[in-house]
Amino acid sequence: MGVFEDQIADAVLAKFEALPAKSKPSKCDEGSFPWVPLCGIVVSHALGTGMKCLPTAKISQAAGNVLHDWHAEVLAIRAFNHFLMQECLLLSSSPKYSSPFVRRREENETSHVGGLQPFTIHENVRIHMYNSEAPCGDASMEFVMDAQNDPTPWPVRAESNLKNQPSKLKGRESFSELGIVRRKPSRADSPPTLSKSCSDKLALKQCTSLLSSLTSTLIVPTNAYLATLILPRLQCNRTACERSFGHRGRLKHVANKSWSGGHSFQPFQIKTTDREFSYSRRSKCFPTDIARGSNISAVYNPRLHETLINGVLQGRKQVDASGASALCNARMWKVVRQVAVAVAVAGSSLPERFRFGKYQQLKEADALEHRREVKKEVRLEALRGWIRNEGDNFELVHE
């Protein structure tokens, strides 16, 4: 713990406190208190709060307009990507604009893939993240064990070969099995999901960078890796963090590895702070108070503020396209398309390389070949048992 860690935590906490009341958890009945995880990325002051995800059965109905995962870490990373896209759009459409975060690449730097990835994050930029709770999944399993009335590990159940069945990915159960890929934890009676835990997603980001697939078509990943993850002291188990994220843990088979396209294994440092979030699970007024998870999610970056419920804008239904968050795949695609036109990679119209019919075609594009190879190897060598969360193959709009 030190001044640096406290400064990062304070920056995130202050941004959240400045948000309007509608973006914060609602009050609970007497004897209980609302809680929600908070995650913030300090470079762009992007943050998110949330703790839920979309059931597998609803993925095919999302049409690109509903977020699949709105846990705090995922929302913060999406808000960060949204901010980077907006920087690219300003750089490509406003010749006089200069960004302290992103720059145009020189001609001798651009990728071999048809001039794509025309941008890069500045070399002197360092990216830090504050989490108010230990990431769900492997990095928090010791806390799950400690919370049990009986800490004896549950018997390991025999499993058949993994298939695309959410039940084959464990949530909180079988906590005696450590170092494995897990799905998002949920109540036993909740609809199953294939969304992987935040521990698993952050572990993978140490190899692919914080850039999403869409942002990776615009920005080279070299300088887009997380440098520091800061956790409250009471939410940091060093053994669990080393197992989940460290080069001697489950990622040892890809440690020190480099791939094509600017990808490499870049583990983040894990530091602690005594700063606590006012809506953390430890914020109870009385020992007998019961924690109630909030269904309200806040999203913020300097160019965006949204309040979400169930992966869409507050007050809207999931089937209503007008309720789509700016962070959903359909809306983020539109920004990528705008940048592609402004950059004029192939003339004044939309470059041919961006004329995809469906989202899955974009994910399989040449521009993302290196990224796909990295993910494939990491899942095979380190994050074994990863099941892809597929089904939201929506039509891409080219208007």
Side-chain angles (χ1 to χ4, degrees):
M1 294 180 288
V3 174
F4 166 76
E5 294 89 330
D6 291 345
Q7 288 176 335
I8 298 297
D10 287 342
V12 175
L13 294 172
K15 284 296 178 183
F16 177 84
E17 292 301 329
L19 297 180
K22 71 174 185 178
S23 296
K24 299 175 182 177
S26 304
K27 292 183 178 179
C28 294
D29 297 332
E30 186 176 350
S32 62
F33 67 98
W35 81 278
V36 70
L38 166 71
C39 179
I41 294 177
V42 176
V43 166
S44 60
H45 284 144
L47 66 79
T49 63
M51 53 190 298
K52 298 183 183 296
C53 59
L54 195 66
T56 299
K58 291 189 175 183
I59 292 291
S60 61
Q61 305 167 29
N65 294 317
V66 183
L67 298 177
H68 298 177
D69 184 345
W70 50 98
H71 275 222
E73 294 91 332
V74 175
L75 287 182
I77 292 172
R78 280 189 167 271
F80 175 63
N81 276 266
H82 176 274
F83 176 80
L84 293 178
M85 286 185 179
Q86 295 297 324
E87 290 294 283
C88 292
L89 185 57
L90 283 169
L91 285 169
S92 57
S93 57
S94 304
K96 294 184 179 180
Y97 181 72
S98 176
S99 169
F101 309 106
V102 180
R103 67 172 176 84
R104 292 286 295 265
R105 298 172 74 193
E106 301 296 332
E107 187 173 345
N108 63 345
E109 292 180 295
T110 53
S111 305
H112 72 281
V113 189
L116 296 178
Q117 294 179 314
F119 302 98
T120 185
I121 293 175
H122 283 295
E123 286 76 6
N124 63 344
V125 168
R126 295 294 178 269
I127 307 169
H128 311 289
M129 175 184 284
Y130 165 78
N131 272 28
S132 67
E133 308 285 339
C136 68
D138 196 50
S140 59
M141 293 311 296
E142 276 77 356
F143 296 114
V144 174
M145 297 181 204
D146 291 343
Q148 308 301 314
N149 292 327
D150 178 4
T152 304
W154 302 338
V156 178
R157 295 174 297 178
E159 297 282 5
S160 59
N161 292 332
L162 288 173
K163 297 181 180 179
N164 288 351
Q165 300 176 33
S167 61
K168 299 301 181 183
L169 282 178
K170 298 174 177 62
R172 289 193 184 93
E173 72 272 17
S174 302
F175 55 72
S176 60
E177 298 180 65
L178 302 175
I180 65 172
V181 172
R182 292 177 176 272
R183 58 182 169 85
K184 287 288 195 291
S186 60
R187 296 184 340 192
D189 60 348
S190 298
T193 179
L194 276 174
S195 287
K196 264 61 67 184
S197 75
C198 292
S199 292
D200 299 320
K201 290 186 176 183
L202 288 173
L204 182 60
K205 291 294 184 185
Q206 293 184 120
C207 300
T208 62
S209 83
L210 289 177
L211 302 183
S212 67
S213 294
L214 287 168
T215 315
S216 294
T217 63
L218 303 175
I219 301 176
V220 69
T222 310
N223 303 321
Y225 287 84
L226 185 64
T228 316
L229 173 63
I230 298 170
L231 298 170
R233 178 175 53 82
L234 297 177
Q235 283 292 289
C236 180
N237 182 295
R238 290 291 178 182
T239 299
C241 288
E242 176 60 30
R243 180 183 66 238
S244 188
F245 307 122
H247 66 279
R248 291 187 295 270
R250 58 181 180 167
L251 296 171
K252 62 184 178 182
H253 297 295
V254 295
N256 303 317
K257 187 81 186 254
S258 295
W259 296 272
S260 300
H263 297 98
S264 60
F265 176 65
Q266 296 193 33
F268 44 73
Q269 287 187 299
I270 297 175
K271 297 181 178 292
T272 62
T273 178
D274 278 326
R275 300 292 198 266
E276 286 281 3
F277 180 38
S278 56
Y279 292 96
S280 80
R281 251 192 303 211
R282 297 163 299 287
S283 62
K284 62 175 67 178
C285 295
F286 303 100
T288 56
D289 284 351
I290 300 173
R292 306 288 187 191
S294 175
N295 66 342
I296 295 176
S297 295
V299 170
Y300 173 86
N301 69 37
R303 298 197 177 90
L304 176 70
H305 170 227
E306 292 181 339
T307 303
L308 311 177
I309 293 181
N310 293 330
V312 296
L313 297 177
Q314 187 179 40
R316 305 294 177 85
K317 297 181 178 180
Q318 290 181 334
V319 294
D320 182 3
S322 66
S325 165
L327 305 186
C328 74
N329 288 333
R331 293 280 298 276
M332 297 274 260
W333 154 250
K334 289 183 179 180
V335 180
V336 170
R337 181 179 55 81
Q338 288 176 310
V339 175
V341 172
V343 170
V345 176
S348 59
S349 61
L350 187 66
E352 288 299 322
R353 287 188 178 275
F354 283 87
R355 290 192 180 278
F356 306 106
K358 290 196 172 186
Y359 181 64
Q360 191 58 39
Q361 290 178 301
L362 184 152
K363 298 262 287 187
E364 296 171 356
D366 291 347
L368 299 177
E369 179 183 1
H370 298 314
R371 176 184 169 85
R372 287 196 303 274
E373 288 301 315
V374 174
K375 293 173 74 173
K376 180 180 178 181
E377 181 171 342
V378 175
R379 290 168 180 171
L380 180 65
E381 298 294 333
L383 301 177
R384 299 182 182 91
W386 188 294
I387 301 175
R388 297 178 63 182
N389 199 13
E390 300 176 317
D392 192 6
N393 190 23
F394 59 95
E395 297 282 347
L396 298 177
V397 179
H398 292 278
E399 59 185 25

